[in-house]
Amino acid sequence: SLFQEGNEIVTNGKGVIIVFESSTCQYCELLKEDFTKNKEMNTLAKEFNIHFINKEMEQEYIMGAKKRKETTTTLKMAFMAKNTPNIVIFDKHWNRIFQLPGYAHPQQMITFMTFVKGLQDGKYKPDEWQKFLKENGVG
């Protein structure tokens, strides 16, 4: 599957995308469809570990460089994820690069994911993201 199952959120040398979702969130379903059906997004998705976290379901997760135990509640608080979807994108070193409260359409997601993949490949520096987004018509 394109999306990671289970409660261990790891990088394994890839970027990580966490999406807070809820059972009534139509835009969360749309985002899943985008990942699956949009060719470019689908190709980029393979460079990331993607986790959907249902914010209504209390669970334990193991995440981060220190493999700390977190719960749905502590993660929601840490990322102030009130609305769904809420998309958090990390690089492979667990640096939070982007957070988007709300739905991001494919062109936005492709731009964010391309930048983070470029960071991994040493193409970009972390402080160049604003410039990159402007050049790509996002932001």
Side-chain angles (χ1 to χ4, degrees), residues 3-4 6-9 16-23 25 28 32 50-63 70-76 79 81 83-86 88 90:
F3 311 121
Q4 305 290 310
N7 61 353
E8 199 170 346
I9 305 177
V16 172
I17 299 175
I18 293 174
V19 182
F20 290 94
E21 64 172 345
S22 63
S23 47
C25 169
C28 300
K32 283 180 186 170
I50 303 171
H51 288 265
F52 279 79
I53 294 180
N54 188 327
K55 69 178 208 134
E56 301 155 334
M57 273 177 63
E58 195 56 29
Q59 290 192 50
E60 279 206 340
Y61 293 92
I62 296 163
M63 82 168 271
E70 302 285 358
T71 63
T72 306
T73 299
T74 57
L75 289 175
K76 269 194 316 206
F79 298 110
N83 305 338
T84 52
N86 200 310
V88 192
F90 302 87

Side-chain angles (χ1 to χ4, degrees), residues 124-139:
Y124 310 117
K125 295 190 175 70
D127 60 0
E128 292 177 327
W129 66 269
Q130 280 163 315
K131 188 175 140 238
F132 179 82
L133 295 188
K134 271 203 189 78
E135 286 166 1
N136 287 275
V138 177

Side-chain angles (χ1 to χ4, degrees), residues 81-103:
K82 290 185 180 73
N83 305 338
T84 52
N86 200 310
I87 305 162
V88 192
I89 307 178
F90 302 87
D91 68 10
K92 64 182 174 187
H93 304 297
W94 283 112
N95 300 306
R96 190 192 329 183
I97 310 296
F98 296 113
Q99 182 164 0
L100 309 148
Y103 170 74

